[in-house]
Amino acid sequence: MLSKLITITVVFLISVGGSNLYSQTCSCAGPPLLSSVEFRPTPAKTWQFGLTVQHNSLSRLVTVSETLEDDARARSTQAVLIEAGYGINQRLSFTSVFSLIQKRRTITLPAVGQDKLLTRGLGDAVFMLKYNLLPRDFVLSRQLTVGGGVKAPLGRSNLRLDEILIATDMQPGTGSIDGLLWGNYTQRFHATSPVSINLSASFSFAGENDNQYKFGNDFESSAGFYYEAKSRVDFSAALKYRWASPDTRFSTSEIPNTGGQWFRIEGGLNLKVNNSLTSRFSIQLPVYQKVEGTQLTTSYTLSVSMFYARGLTF
Amino acid sequence: MKNYRLITAVSLIVIMIFAACMKAVVSERGNEGWLIPPGEVFEGGPGKDGIPALLTPPLATAREAIFLNDQSLVIGIKIGDVTRAYPHIILDWHEIINDEIGDELFSITYCPLTGSGIAWNRFLNGQENTFGVSGLLYNSNLIPYDRLTDSYWSQMKNLSVNGVLMGQTSETYPIVETTWETWEQMYPETRVVSTRTGYSRNYGVYPYGQYRTNDDNLLYPIANDDTRLPRKERIHGIIVEDRTKAYRIGSFSAEITAINDTFNGLLLVIAGSSSKNLVVSFKRQLANGTVLTFEPLQDQLPAIIIDNEGTSWDIFGNGISGPRTGENLEAAAAYNAYWFAWGAFYPETEIYGL
């Protein structure tokens, strides 16, 4: 039953991925990989697989904290994230994430018409080693995990249109190797509580690509709760914070209108199909932002995921 | 069970291969062939018309222009008796203003990254046309496109570099760049482009941070980085056939200065003032062969220079008093720009005074 479900989903995604999907570009300077991946602790001797389809809409033009009335530009990113992880032992685990990225930019001017640009391809990948500083206990399900890894530039960052290099933030990949740090803490309020709190933080140190372009360093944090209902449906909610430094070129030149701070809220529904398989639907909405200069920023993000965890052997 | 696992694994591999083989750039423009190296053309980020050009925008009187301060830079044009000012604070956000005065159709093009302002005739090949911002840059400089033919033009080359009009040069209108205070004093009846453009923009804020004052800040690669002058120093550049010469605007004295110069066989007068952020240039030899020499005029703007015959000439080269009243001095092929951009487009340019 499980394998049939996975196969059907995968085949569905193949067909969907080949069509001209309406994608909505991420507001951040690069592909939305790090901000889209929710790393989780991996139990020992357990394989974890995840498949996420994310839809990121960017249509708000903001100057610092003020939203401007401007319907001319719309950008979007659609991402398919494929995650595989394995718990080596009670302390150590490994996670890898691969991505497929599609980006669309539409500019509409009255009496002029529309200009559209669509790019797609393999995106960057993340490889992370995680360590349980505090292995999960059975009373409060308390667990503290830290991780370190790299973002590998598997995606192309040199796509051209009519021989012209396409803008950096419309490329499927960043072209740079980034260093990543991550930490996560979770625990129940008390032994029998259906509510757990979850705190997480991550930091990426951006590298420079072959075009001498460096995306900004990125810090993300999340504070939320998870409610295990007696039914198969669980709920989660979190407040997320993101800070990004401005992008730079030639090591010294800050790119104007990049970087800033964002607060978002996320709500999620989790469906426990069985002991191994979980589906998740989540939505993120902006709460507040303070951006550098004037830039497009996220209107909303939708994610649909499937997670499978089992002590599989091939 | 094992078969389904195998199918699943194979499906995942197929996804990855499929993604790698997918057509990466779906959009097509069809503009192939460039007169400039396409490898040196960059997409700025906002996209085609992501920076919206204006078309016949609302105007304000000088008294209504409270959004400008005395030192705000404007690009001024004079056609007949009509004067109009185009503020940098609006051009920084729109880069192109398509406008008209009487029967004259023109586009004020201004690139905030290269500090270059040039007015183009937008009546092209017998048709009214408008220019838009393509979103592409060459040597950090604006590449407009015309909307009738979708041809791309290099602003600082005054030349179409791609498309059906490739190779066509742009016809320019004389413009003067100066402070709002100076322009308003010269032409108190002037109109100025209003901030009520119909777009929601923070016109009081420069959109590029420290860019215009930070000499280390370049956003895009340039073909030639000439370090003889600071990168962001504003210069008045003159083009005479295949040679160019730069005059440093900041090196002019606060009072009006007139330089009678000869460059590449052409007799020129260059007049300006650093305090008024103003430099203009004209040919000193008239069509009939008469050669004039000039002295500066103080406190008589728009009259800026007087020739050896006693004719006073204004900043647009119009004779306004004296024997040659009503005649015109031909403007030199010239415009202002940041030094780094001028040096990138015109390597080995001469620098006056160096």
Side-chain angles (χ1 to χ4, degrees), chain B residues 209-229:
Chain B
Q210 304 171 9
Y211 177 82
R212 61 186 168 187
T213 55
N214 186 341
D215 288 321
D216 292 330
N217 196 326
L218 276 185
L219 301 182
Y220 300 93
I222 55 177
N224 175 54
D225 189 11
D226 192 323
T227 57
R228 288 180 288 165
L229 296 179

Side-chain angles (χ1 to χ4, degrees), chain A residues 105 118 120 162 167 249 253, chain B residues 24 27 29 43 201 218-219:
Chain A
R105 182 181 69 201
L118 176 68
R120 62 162 77 117
D162 293 336
R249 189 165 224 145
S253 299
Chain B
S27 310
R29 284 221 176 98
E43 209 195 353
R201 295 292 188 274
L218 276 185
L219 301 182

Side-chain angles (χ1 to χ4, degrees), chain B residues 250-264:
Chain B
S251 70
F252 283 78
S253 65
E255 288 191 329
I256 304 291
T257 303
I259 302 170
N260 293 284
D261 202 2
T262 303
F263 176 63
N264 204 18

Side-chain angles (χ1 to χ4, degrees), chain B residues 37-90:
Chain B
E40 295 176 16
V41 176
F42 292 89
E43 209 195 353
K48 197 172 189 180
D49 287 317
I51 295 175
L54 301 180
L55 175 62
T56 57
L59 304 173
T61 63
R63 178 177 291 186
E64 293 168 339
I66 58 176
F67 49 88
L68 296 174
N69 61 50
D70 287 347
Q71 296 306 308
S72 298
L73 284 178
V74 298
I75 290 176
I77 197 168
K78 183 174 184 291
I79 294 176
D81 294 325
V82 178
T83 56
R84 199 164 289 175
Y86 300 85
H88 275 210
I89 64 167
I90 294 176

Side-chain angles (χ1 to χ4, degrees), chain A residues 25-219:
Chain A
T25 311
C26 171
S27 61
C28 55
L33 190 55
L34 188 63
S35 63
S36 307
V37 177
E38 290 191 20
F39 296 106
R40 294 169 302 284
T42 307
K45 304 301 181 187
T46 299
W47 281 97
Q48 273 185 337
F49 298 97
L51 192 64
T52 299
V53 177
Q54 189 176 80
H55 196 76
N56 196 336
S57 167
L58 189 156
S59 58
R60 289 193 308 138
L61 187 65
V62 171
T63 183
V64 189
S65 298
E66 179 190 354
T67 300
L68 303 177
E69 287 184 30
D70 187 288
D71 296 329
R73 279 181 280 186
R75 287 185 54 193
S76 60
T77 297
Q78 209 165 32
V80 175
L81 306 173
I82 301 164
E83 178 185 345
Y86 181 68
I88 300 168
N89 54 42
Q90 198 179 22
R91 296 272 186 178
L92 213 54
S93 61
F94 174 81
T95 295
S96 60
V97 180
F98 298 87
S99 62
L100 308 174
I101 305 290
Q102 181 171 269
K103 296 188 172 186
R104 179 185 290 271
R105 182 181 69 201
T106 304
I107 298 166
T108 305
L109 277 192
V112 174
Q114 271 192 347
D115 183 78
K116 295 183 179 181
L117 177 66
L118 176 68
T119 61
R120 62 162 77 117
L122 189 64
D124 292 346
V126 168
F127 302 99
M128 182 168 290
L129 206 59
K130 296 177 288 186
Y131 184 80
N132 285 330
L133 285 175
L134 206 62
R136 191 184 186 96
D137 70 62
F138 293 101
V139 178
L140 295 178
S141 297
R142 188 166 42 193
Q143 185 170 24
L144 175 61
T145 311
V146 296
V150 293
K151 181 185 68 61
L154 301 189
R156 289 186 64 182
S157 58
N158 60 355
L159 293 179
R160 292 178 178 272
L161 177 62
D162 293 336
E163 304 176 84
I164 308 302
L165 186 66
I166 290 172
T168 305
D169 55 1
M170 284 296 293
Q171 301 279 352
T174 62
S176 65
I177 299 174
D178 300 349
L180 306 173
L181 294 174
W182 168 81
N184 179 271
Y185 178 79
T186 183
Q187 78 163 64
R188 293 180 187 276
F189 279 121
H190 55 81
T192 57
S193 171
V195 180
S196 302
I197 60 168
N198 184 274
L199 305 171
S200 69
S202 64
F203 192 85
S204 69
F205 306 85
E208 188 174 272
N209 65 18
D210 289 343
N211 297 318
Q212 297 180 279
Y213 195 96
K214 178 178 173 295
F215 288 99
N217 295 331
D218 198 293
F219 172 78

